[in-house]
Amino acid sequence: MEEPVDTATAILASAAVLLRERTFDDISYRALADEVGISERTIYRQYPTRAHLLAALSNWLEQAFFPLPPFVTVSDFCAAVHERFRAFDALPAYAYVGARASAISPTIDIEPAYITRAIEAMLDVAAPTLNRRDRRRVAASLRYFSSAMFWARLRTGFDLDAGEICDAFDRAVGTVLARLPEATWATP
């Protein structure tokens, strides 16, 4: 017996199906309503603007197709991001939705994303004496380097594949972390 799916999830799952055939811009609320089997008005009730739909779809795709494996150390973080970039290469249409969603203004006030909290926690362990301002600055940089936006810019702007993007990611992370004072790092 299949579990019932709520309307919002059905809309997002149907949008993902349509993304296999067309771009996000080419998915109308009418086509989405027809795919789900509901009225267009119901789509608007759930997602009043395309920005709302894009943000929700991006979050749903992230959880369903690109979950970031847990990490505690910097090397675990790098390995998790490498896995994520390979997943982006396997499903580029979905990754591009994430990249595009990160470029728009937030449609709702939300707490910091899981990845931000996880990176800050990793830095608390790896660099325990790092001050709060620098920890947030480094975490923001690492979050960007691990994002669909970073992947998409390198993929479309320079025609790099996942392996090459991973190399660029490693260099960027290494450069940022190398700027931290030696005394901030925990001794093993």
Side-chain angles (χ1 to χ4, degrees), residues 70-90:
F71 57 89
V72 176
T73 66
V74 173
S75 62
D76 290 347
F77 170 66
C78 290
V81 172
H82 289 190
E83 185 177 320
R84 181 182 226 200
F85 286 165
R86 285 188 290 277
F88 287 167
D89 259 17

Side-chain angles (χ1 to χ4, degrees), residues 1 20 28-29 32-33 52 57 77 79 103 105 124 170 177 186:
M1 182 171 141
R20 294 180 191 147
S28 69
Y29 274 33
L32 192 50
H52 287 94
L57 180 59
F77 170 66
S105 298
D124 285 343
D170 290 343
L177 297 180

Side-chain angles (χ1 to χ4, degrees), residues 43-136:
I43 305 278
Y44 278 104
R45 278 191 206 118
Q46 293 290 326
Y47 306 105
T49 67
R50 291 189 59 80
H52 287 94
L53 176 61
L54 181 63
L57 180 59
S58 173
N59 288 336
W60 186 81
L61 291 170
E62 176 96 16
Q63 292 171 9
F65 297 96
F66 309 122
L68 195 65
F71 57 89
V72 176
T73 66
V74 173
S75 62
D76 290 347
F77 170 66
C78 290
V81 172
H82 289 190
E83 185 177 320
R84 181 182 226 200
F85 286 165
R86 285 188 290 277
F88 287 167
D89 259 17
L91 296 167
Y94 293 175
Y96 288 127
V97 167
R100 182 161 173 203
S102 68
I104 64 170
S105 298
T107 54
I108 54 173
D109 291 329
I110 55 172
E111 64 182 50
Y114 158 78
I115 190 168
T116 301
R117 292 189 313 270
I119 291 170
E120 287 181 349
M122 173 190 73
L123 291 170
D124 285 343
V125 172
T129 62
L130 187 63
N131 67 55
R132 181 178 176 191
R133 181 184 65 88
D134 286 343
R135 186 186 74 217
R136 293 180 91 172

